[in-house]
Amino acid sequence: MIPSVLVSELLANGCMAARGNKEDLRPVVRIFEPGGSSAWLLTEVSPTNPKIAFGLCDTGDGNPRLGHVDLSELAYFRSLRGHRLEVDKRFRATKTLSEYAYDARRQGRINV
């Protein structure tokens, strides 16, 4: 689902976090539901379990939150219309994850 070059960047960020780096990172990848309201902005994957990512998660319930997500669950996700999630190939982060989180909480959704 996520291109290998982005997975490498997510893993590098995860390794930095595992070593105690508390830097407020910019998201590496945006995953979204075509035609829907769900979206994920991910900054890192766990170096011990690369199927687990961390980022801003918006399941479309109006309550975006920071947390972990299982990438295998996202790979199998289907919308009510039967659509799979997609990686936004044009996404380039312009803010840090905490800035996106602040904006998303105020607006009730991720808006990039």
Side-chain angles (χ1 to χ4, degrees):
M1 171 189 244
I2 300 173
S4 59
V5 67
L6 296 179
V7 170
S8 295
E9 193 173 338
L10 290 166
L11 185 57
N13 287 347
C15 289
M16 286 187 340
R19 288 191 298 267
N21 186 331
K22 302 295 182 197
E23 182 180 347
D24 189 13
L25 301 170
R26 289 179 182 235
V28 172
V29 65
R30 176 180 177 258
I31 298 172
F32 68 100
E33 175 189 354
S37 58
S38 299
W40 293 259
L41 297 179
L42 305 177
T43 57
E44 62 203 68
V45 294
S46 167
T48 57
N49 185 357
K51 291 190 328 180
I52 303 300
F54 179 80
L56 180 59
C57 307
D58 182 356
T59 57
D61 63 358
N63 187 27
R65 56 204 159 276
L66 294 171
H68 293 89
V69 62
D70 186 325
L71 294 176
S72 60
E73 288 182 18
L74 295 184
Y76 289 106
F77 176 90
R78 298 290 180 280
S79 72
L80 294 175
R81 297 177 200 95
H83 297 136
R84 293 178 150 216
L85 297 176
E86 294 183 17
V87 172
D88 184 346
K89 294 178 179 134
R90 290 182 261 154
F91 175 74
R92 300 293 177 267
T94 59
K95 302 181 263 191
T96 65
L97 187 63
S98 65
E99 291 169 321
Y100 279 111
Y102 175 79
D103 290 345
R105 288 180 185 129
R106 281 185 328 143
Q107 299 171 11
R109 66 186 182 99
I110 294 175
N111 188 17
V112 295

